[in-house]
Amino acid sequence: MEKEDVLILAVESSCDETAASVVKNGREVLSNIISSQIALHTQYGGVVPEIASRKHIEKINQVIREALEEAGAALQDISAVAVTYGPGLVGALLVGVSAAKAISFASGIPLVGVHHIEGHICANYIENKELQPPFICLVVSGGHSHLVKVKDYGEYEILGRTRDDAAGEAFDKVARAIGLGYPGGPKIDKVSRQGNAQAISFPRAKVADAVYDFSFSGLKSAVLNYLNSCEMKGIPICQADVAASFQKAVVDVLVEHSMQAVKEYGLDKFAIAGGVASNTSLREALAKACAEQKIAFYHPSPVFCTDNAAMIGVAGYYEYCRGVRHGYDLNAVPNLRLGER
Ligand code: KG4
Ligand code: ZN
């Protein structure tokens, strides 16, 4: 390690992954440890907040220790401890925030609180070394669907957001309704490959007064209505066709809004982030649309799309470079807004 290297130790515990990472100079991931609770929550059909918090407490120290070991770093090599402090489940967030504060207090290393969505966006910097703001980013995860203009490092303008369900939430709910189980996104992604996306015509919702806002609850209801009416008529459903037609309805809206924003703001770079960004069909459709518009398309590898701490380390680095420091009064903020400090 060179003396001038900036090493960030990052901690993430906002939902159901306990994660820690060491990131060098903002773009090089030295370690990325993720302890997933998915198997644990699967038996309940979704994340149970109380169980998530307890599991984070059990795992957090071990995960942080492993991240330092794998990076070959000691605490004295670390320039700052970055931690997700919102948005997310309050009890889950508190575990990471408390661990990061304890490390900072005991070692004197500065503390930097990071917005979870900023982390998702910054995941794009890991494998795309040349990517720099400004660009448009579509953030689609289990809890969020945002269309964001990334004006500069740490500077964001939200162009649109979901009015109801997040895209990933819609995937999870529809998957449950057609008997695929939790987590729904990857399962719908897989089963859709065997289905016909034109088989059922589901609605593409538009929000009248806000062109970039999303709404997925009407689509979810349309799928449920379709399933009910098939049941009442005694018609067997084709799981793959429902999955593929639903997925196509989500993808069409996400692509249309994204391309409209890129055009209106005159930017030549577009990125995607969040768990749903690992969806094969969405990636293919966006890659095609960007190629047609002659726009550079950026996306993180699937491991950096779903929750991880490396993305928090990258965002933490840029916040640290901007001079952001948090005190020991840093608290978990479950509904923290992007751009708020
Ligand atoms: O970003 P993430 O790990 O957590 C949040 O911050 O919410 O996103 C998790 C969400 C879940 O709703 C999951 O079903 C969805 O991302 N997801 C996918 C895929 N992989 C994960 N959705 C569609 N296709 C996928 N391949
Ligand atoms: Zn997330």
Side-chain angles (χ1 to χ4, degrees):
M1 236 64 82
E2 301 289 320
K3 194 114 195 78
E4 61 275 15
D5 284 338
V6 175
L7 258 60
I8 306 288
L9 170 63
V11 179
E12 154 68 40
S13 70
S14 65
C15 190
D16 58 349
E17 329 278 356
T18 321
S21 166
V22 176
V23 175
K24 186 171 139 184
N25 301 329
R27 303 233 175 185
E28 195 183 331
V29 176
L30 301 185
S31 62
N32 184 28
I33 310 295
I34 306 171
S35 170
S36 174
Q37 303 177 4
I38 285 182
L40 188 67
H41 296 286
T42 298
Q43 53 189 311
Y44 304 102
V47 178
V48 183
E50 182 59 28
I51 295 177
S53 317
R54 284 166 193 245
K55 211 61 198 167
H56 284 312
I57 294 173
E58 278 174 33
K59 294 285 179 184
I60 193 97
N61 285 338
Q62 181 197 335
V63 163
I64 293 173
R65 207 174 302 123
E66 273 180 49
L68 285 167
E69 268 170 27
E70 200 177 297
L75 273 183
Q76 58 264 30
D77 303 319
I78 301 293
S79 308
V81 186
V83 64
T84 308
Y85 72 110
L89 302 168
V90 69
L93 287 164
L94 269 175
V95 178
V97 169
S98 305
K101 285 203 283 193
I103 293 170
S104 169
F105 183 68
S107 60
I109 300 168
L111 178 68
V112 178
V114 171
H115 192 289
H116 184 75
I117 300 295
E118 178 173 17
H120 274 303
I121 295 170
C122 289
N124 280 287
Y125 297 134
I126 298 171
E127 295 151 299
N128 301 302
K129 308 287 181 209
E130 78 289 0
L131 175 62
Q132 286 184 8
F135 57 92
I136 300 283
C137 187
L138 171 71
V139 189
V140 270
S141 72
H144 315 274
S145 302
H146 282 32
L147 198 54
V148 181
K149 182 176 173 195
V150 182
K151 297 189 201 162
D152 201 345
Y153 294 108
E155 279 188 39
Y156 306 95
E157 182 185 340
I158 297 176
L159 308 177
R161 55 160 62 85
T162 181
R163 293 290 182 99
D164 36 59
D165 291 353
E169 204 178 340
F171 269 94
D172 293 337
K173 286 177 179 168
V174 167
R176 198 178 310 150
I178 59 174
L180 285 173
Y182 170 86
K187 292 187 175 161
I188 290 195
D189 192 350
K190 193 160 171 230
V191 88
S192 291
R193 285 174 217 153
Q194 270 83 52
N196 172 8
Q198 320 298 336
I200 310 145
S201 157
F202 289 131
R204 274 80 172 142
K206 285 217 185 317
V207 179
D209 52 340
V211 279
Y212 297 123
D213 277 2
F214 304 103
S215 166
F216 294 110
S217 74
L219 170 60
K220 177 192 67 191
S221 303
V223 175
L224 296 180
N225 288 342
Y226 171 80
L227 297 175
N228 282 339
S229 87
C230 286
E231 201 185 330
M232 273 163 27
K233 292 179 200 151
I235 305 169
I237 66 145
C238 173
Q239 204 183 39
D241 283 354
V242 179
S245 302
F246 157 78
Q247 181 174 270
K248 179 85 170 66
V250 177
V251 168
D252 281 355
V253 170
L254 294 177
V255 173
E256 192 191 319
H257 282 40
S258 301
M259 290 306 110
Q260 200 172 333
V262 169
K263 254 191 250 163
E264 183 178 328
Y265 289 88
L267 294 171
D268 57 358
K269 286 175 271 181
F270 174 76
I272 50 170
V276 182
S278 51
N279 183 272
T280 323
S281 167
L282 178 64
R283 285 164 99 102
E284 283 170 7
L286 283 169
K288 187 164 170 270
C290 285
E292 279 165 12
Q293 305 283 336
K294 301 204 170 21
I295 294 160
F297 175 46
Y298 298 91
H299 51 79
S301 293
V303 67
F304 296 123
C305 284
T306 44
D307 287 350
N308 66 86
M311 66 185 198
I312 303 303
V314 178
Y317 168 83
Y318 288 107
E319 292 294 333
Y320 174 78
C321 293
R322 282 155 54 89
V324 172
R325 305 287 183 270
H326 283 90
Y328 299 129
D329 58 350
L330 179 70
N331 206 351
V333 185
N335 51 4
L336 184 67
R337 290 170 73 95
L338 190 63
E340 237 174 51
R341 264 170 243 291

